[in-house]
Amino acid sequence: RSTAHGKAAKAIQAAARRCGGDMDDMQLQSTIAAAKAVQLPKDRIESAIERGTNPTKFASEELTDMRYDGVLPTKSGKVAVIVTALTDNKNRTASNVRASFSKCGGEMLGAGAHEWMFDHIGLVIVPMGNGQEGFDGKTSVEEEEEALMEYALDGGATDVEFLSDADEAYDEQMQGPYAAIRCHPSDLHTLLKSLQNGGYEILEFDTRYVVKNEETGTIELSTEAIGLLEKLLRRMDEDDDVTTVFHNAVYLEH
């Protein structure tokens, strides 16, 4: 729990610093909700917000977003891995991430080594069927999609994909049709604001690294190889500084 609490507090601090402590900011609201989900005490939440909104007072605790590229050799082939972190000590974090790769038989590569394989995107998921305020269920699918496209493009969207359970890319955890809206990571908050202005519900949003070509850029793992990758993922999860791990592996279904 201590690791989860530390990560949650850092995320709040970083979000508060970015938005200046604006409690209406969706990123800050999201990090606070995530912190409550792991039962971070209220006083630590408030402290993290204060540390983020008073950068001069807490200058020694400046948090930096870091990215580390690495590779994990398995019997199924080499898995490309990107690790993101939020740290106040770059040397410590780099050393720990390098050690985690090493202890699993992998290695850390040079900065941006996987740039050719992954796209860095902002992603927003919006449920379809109740898009704009006042939507009465009588609007045609085409009209609803056109309305959302307008707000999305005004907010800097680079791609909008409308998905239902009939589509191969549909996320089965979703309930009903939805729109997956992509943008440049730096435009994510502008996009969120535009969609909010349109009265759209935001199911989830984040920035992530996605494989550019799923047909040629992914690797299917055997059961043994999955075990090795999960060992690496567990080690990364136990690191207070690591925020997310992305990879190009696909688990084979048996």
Side-chain angles (χ1 to χ4, degrees):
R1 176 176 291 187
S2 62
T3 299
H5 281 186
K7 291 186 178 187
K10 277 187 179 180
I12 291 173
Q13 184 176 337
R17 180 159 296 189
R18 184 196 59 76
C19 71
D22 179 4
M23 296 305 293
D24 291 328
D25 181 78
M26 286 196 68
Q27 181 69 53
L28 182 55
Q29 291 177 357
S30 177
T31 57
I32 292 173
K36 290 180 178 179
V38 297
Q39 300 180 334
L40 184 68
K42 182 180 178 181
D43 61 333
R44 288 196 63 185
I45 291 176
E46 293 173 347
S47 175
I49 294 172
E50 181 184 2
R51 290 172 185 277
T53 53
N54 292 283
T56 303
K57 182 177 178 181
F58 299 98
S60 63
E61 299 180 14
E62 179 69 41
L63 296 173
T64 304
D65 287 303
M66 299 298 296
R67 165 185 162 178
Y68 307 96
D69 293 24
V71 63
L72 180 69
T74 73
K75 289 189 175 181
S76 299
K78 293 183 177 181
V79 179
V81 181
I82 292 179
V83 179
T84 61
L86 191 60
T87 180
D88 58 359
N89 187 320
K90 298 178 185 178
N91 291 335
R92 178 194 66 222
T93 306
S95 177
N96 289 344
V97 170
R98 183 178 291 106
S100 290
F101 273 114
S102 179
K103 290 184 178 181
C104 294
E107 65 175 317
M108 199 159 80
L109 305 176
H114 297 318
E115 202 72 29
W116 63 277
M117 186 184 298
F118 291 86
D119 278 327
H120 190 201
I121 66 166
L123 181 68
V124 181
I125 303 298
V126 174
M128 299 301 292
N130 61 346
Q132 290 177 290
E133 291 181 353
F135 178 71
D136 56 9
K138 297 180 181 179
T139 304
S140 71
V141 172
E142 291 80 8
E143 288 174 325
E144 188 192 8
E145 290 182 352
E146 286 178 7
L148 181 129
M149 283 283 289
E150 181 176 346
Y151 282 99
L153 293 174
D154 283 347
T158 57
D159 182 70
V160 180
E161 186 176 13
F162 298 100
L163 297 166
S164 69
D165 56 12
D167 297 303
E168 185 176 346
Y170 181 79
D171 185 342
E172 295 182 358
Q173 294 182 343
M174 296 294 180
Q175 297 180 345
Y178 63 92
I181 309 169
R182 293 190 179 195
C183 67
H184 189 276
S186 63
D187 292 330
L188 179 60
H189 295 283
T190 302
L191 175 59
L192 288 170
K193 186 68 69 175
S194 180
L195 293 171
Q196 281 183 305
N197 290 340
Y200 290 94
E201 177 186 357
I202 308 298
L203 284 181
E204 59 181 79
F205 63 93
D206 62 20
T207 60
R208 61 181 65 178
Y209 289 91
V210 296
V211 176
K212 291 182 179 181
N213 189 325
E214 292 188 359
E215 291 186 8
T216 62
T218 57
I219 176 173
E220 294 185 339
L221 298 186
S222 64
T223 302
E224 182 179 351
I226 289 172
L228 184 59
L229 176 59
E230 290 184 341
K231 177 183 177 182
L232 176 66
L233 295 179
R234 283 194 299 272
R235 287 192 62 88
M236 295 298 183
D237 188 53
E238 292 167 359
D239 189 318
D240 285 348
D241 297 333
V242 172
T243 52
T244 317
V245 181
F246 304 92
H247 56 76
N248 69 332
V250 177
Y251 292 7
L252 287 172
E253 296 182 2
H254 296 284

